[in-house]
Amino acid sequence: MRNNVKKSLTELDQRHFIHPTSSIKQQQEHGPAFIFTEGDGIYLKDNNGRELIDAMSSLWNVNIGYGRKELGKAAQQQMDTLAFSSAFSTFSHEPAIRLSEKLAELAPDGLNAVFLTSGGSESNDSAFKLARHYWKLRDQPERKKIISRQRAYHGVSSGSTSATGIPQFWEMAGLLSTDFIHADTPYELGTAQAIASIRNLIENEGPETIAAFVAEPVQGAGGIIIPPDDYFQEIRKLCDEYGILFIADEVITGFGRTGTMFGLEHWGVVPDMMTLAKGITSGYIPQGGVMVSDEIHETLKEKSEGTLFHGFTYSGHPTACAVALKNIEIIENENLVENSKEMGDEMLNGFRSIKDKIDIIGNVRSLGLLGAVELVEDPSTNKRFSPSLKVAPRVVEILAERGMICRSVTYDSTDIITFAPPLIINKEQIDNMIEILYDSILEVRREKNI
């Protein structure tokens, strides 16, 4: 009976379900890689009864882990009273008001107002539109351009795709929005060279045409790129010098992921705008937002006339807001931000321990529970493997066979394995992760004779 159910679901998946960010060819040839049925803590179970460690928190977002009935109860209670209500035309409700207040309490000083969305792509698109609108209100409508960075990932809607600095995301339909330009990433660069790249772009484009600079505190999909210690201080100075808004994309790095509530706290830098999603509800329901500085909010209040013609049906969705509030309560009550820091240190120590034993491991890094292991032909020179070897993707396949889900990053000929386990993970589970990783890399090393 189980096999018949599996076959039926596989066939239905192939016939009817177009998967996001997936290989359609692979789906049609092999069916879905997994059909998950249950989640508990850091573990997922598929329809074959296999249990796997989810070392990616699904899409970097299941911060409090799977199976938290508290969030289901919060959703049910809200649905029983007010499942949905529009926030258009200044209509409001308590969950959105309370969540906005809570986010202002948690955010860096000076960020006290939020525009609510349904997710990260919407949040970043909203930030870009609000930045351009702000400059129009300030009588500088020529400020339209957004500077992003290579290897950046900001989403897949029109504006956020154009801000994303991974060319594969542009190939499907092209760059859909104008006035997006990309500077060098700090990956393998010092601060001075990376900042010089941005300064050159500003000067070449004309400072008077630049609306904002956007950056992830730690680049996620680009390969867990942790910047040099002085990088964001210099970014803040550069933006202030040219009067450019600084947008921090905290979609992945927010809500404890890096061992602080928000990623930029590591460097003591406050942005002008901050985009949120993912960990705000731990993925239990779609939710996102854009926090803006007091100065931006005051400009909107003082200079706006008529309607702000931007919004989504589910902006301020009451059930999503109620779930977000309960999720944040759990993060705070269970000290998950501190646990992220402590277990992140354990994860990094584990990476370092296997690096000492395997001679194809290059740079290893982690900030909280956001980490990466690079595989290279020669660690002494950082010489990379030929892309045709597909080393990191093969390791990820072996990891899945051995019971752990990770992701590989092969952009720009890199072989990077990324990790973002739920913030509830413990030392024993970290040790198990490291053991599985060690065995899997050794197996691929033998298999490919490298």
Side-chain angles (χ1 to χ4, degrees):
M1 178 65 72
R2 180 183 294 274
N3 288 337
N4 290 336
V5 170
K6 180 185 176 184
K7 182 177 181 181
S8 175
L9 287 174
T10 295
E11 289 177 346
L12 290 170
D13 183 283
Q14 292 170 309
R15 185 175 300 174
H16 302 295
F17 186 9
I18 301 174
H19 287 251
T21 315
S22 300
S23 167
I24 295 177
K25 181 178 179 181
Q26 179 180 335
Q27 178 206 19
Q28 293 306 310
E29 290 180 352
H30 305 290
F34 295 99
I35 299 177
F36 292 117
T37 58
E38 298 176 46
D40 183 22
I42 70 165
Y43 302 99
L44 287 170
K45 186 177 289 186
D46 72 4
N47 63 335
N48 290 314
R50 292 188 64 216
E51 188 175 76
L52 299 97
I53 297 170
D54 183 1
M56 283 303 303
S57 297
S58 192
L59 286 176
W60 330 80
N61 61 337
V62 187
N63 286 16
I64 67 170
Y66 296 95
R68 299 302 297 254
K69 298 189 185 327
E70 304 98 308
L71 297 195
K73 290 178 181 177
Q76 181 179 349
Q77 289 171 1
Q78 185 59 46
M79 287 184 177
D80 286 345
T81 55
L82 181 67
F84 175 72
S85 176
S86 167
F88 284 28
S89 303
T90 75
F91 291 10
S92 199
H93 49 77
E94 186 171 356
I97 295 168
R98 295 297 183 196
L99 177 60
S100 299
E101 176 192 36
K102 185 62 180 179
L103 291 172
E105 174 192 320
L106 295 175
D109 288 345
L111 300 176
N112 289 298
V114 62
F115 180 93
L116 294 170
T117 72
S118 302
S121 293
E122 283 186 5
S123 295
N124 283 319
D125 266 27
S126 298
F128 305 146
K129 289 179 71 174
L130 287 169
R132 289 169 174 171
H133 180 59
Y134 165 82
W135 287 116
K136 286 180 69 176
L137 294 177
R138 294 287 303 272
D139 297 321
Q140 298 182 58
E142 67 280 1
R143 284 188 180 263
K144 297 179 179 178
K145 296 174 184 175
I146 308 293
I147 298 178
S148 180
R149 303 178 298 172
Q150 297 171 14
R151 302 186 80 97
Y153 181 81
H154 297 293
V156 293
S157 53
S158 293
S160 55
T161 293
S162 301
T164 288
I166 301 173
Q168 288 89 331
F169 285 95
W170 309 335
E171 292 170 1
M172 176 184 172
L175 286 168
L176 301 177
S177 299
T178 60
D179 293 323
F180 286 85
I181 48 182
H182 298 84
D184 289 337
T185 177
Y187 179 58
E188 297 183 327
L189 296 177
T191 295
Q193 188 175 346
I195 295 297
S197 165
I198 301 169
R199 183 181 292 277
N200 288 338
L201 279 180
I202 294 171
E203 292 289 348
N204 290 337
E205 299 290 332
E208 72 283 356
T209 70
I210 310 297
F213 170 82
V214 60
E216 305 155 89
V218 177
Q219 288 183 298
I224 315 297
I225 310 305
I226 302 171
D229 286 342
D230 59 345
Y231 176 79
F232 277 111
Q233 287 93 338
E234 294 303 315
I235 289 291
R236 181 72 269 182
K237 291 177 186 176
L238 192 66
C239 289
D240 289 343
E241 178 183 345
Y242 289 104
I244 294 169
L245 298 178
F246 173 25
I247 303 170
D249 179 346
E250 294 265 11
V251 170
I252 287 176
T253 52
F255 302 96
R257 172 56 59 191
T258 68
T260 53
M261 185 58 74
F262 299 105
L264 272 186
E265 293 177 37
H266 287 282
W267 301 284
V269 172
V270 178
D272 300 294
M273 306 172 78
M274 183 169 76
T275 59
L276 311 170
K278 295 192 183 291
I280 192 172
T281 61
S282 289
Y284 280 64
I285 196 168
Q287 178 69 289
V290 185
M291 302 210 67
V292 302
S293 69
D294 293 343
E295 197 278 329
I296 292 175
H297 193 207
E298 288 303 315
T299 297
L300 293 175
K301 290 189 290 185
E302 293 175 6
K303 295 182 176 292
S304 293
E305 294 183 7
T307 300
L308 177 68
F309 281 101
H310 180 66
F312 307 99
T313 298
Y314 299 122
S315 292
H317 192 296
T319 302
C321 291
V323 170
L325 283 164
K326 178 57 69 172
N327 176 71
I328 293 168
E329 179 184 307
I330 290 170
I331 290 172
E332 292 185 316
N333 289 348
E334 297 185 8
N335 298 314
L336 295 186
V337 177
E338 182 60 28
N339 194 64
S340 176
K341 179 182 183 303
E342 292 176 359
M343 292 301 103
D345 290 341
E346 294 290 345
M347 186 168 72
L348 182 57
N349 289 337
F351 292 161
R352 288 169 173 164
S353 71
I354 63 172
K355 173 180 168 66
D356 292 339
K357 300 172 185 176
I358 304 178
D359 61 5
I360 63 167
I361 296 180
N363 182 268
V364 297
R365 51 189 178 269
S366 179
L367 191 64
L369 286 169
L370 194 57
V373 171
E374 292 204 40
L375 304 176
V376 293
E377 185 175 334
D378 184 353
S380 66
T381 62
N382 204 37
K383 181 182 178 182
R384 295 171 183 168
F385 289 110
S386 167
S388 62
L389 282 174
K390 299 182 179 179
V391 178
R394 181 58 181 153
V395 172
V396 168
E397 290 176 355
I398 298 296
L399 285 167
E401 292 172 8
R402 291 173 175 266
M404 185 163 75
I405 298 169
C406 292
R407 290 180 67 178
S408 63
V409 175
T410 56
Y411 168 60
D412 197 25
S413 300
T414 53
D415 276 289
I416 301 173
I417 307 168
T418 63
F419 300 82
L423 309 190
I424 60 170
I425 198 166
N426 61 40
K427 174 72 163 58
E428 181 181 355
Q429 292 165 336
I430 290 283
D431 291 343
N432 190 20
M433 277 178 48
I434 299 300
E435 182 180 356
I436 296 170
L437 177 64
Y438 174 73
D439 291 341
S440 299
I441 295 174
L442 283 182
E443 181 172 338
V444 173
R445 190 178 183 279
R446 288 192 295 265
E447 177 186 287
K448 293 184 175 290
N449 193 29
I450 53 178

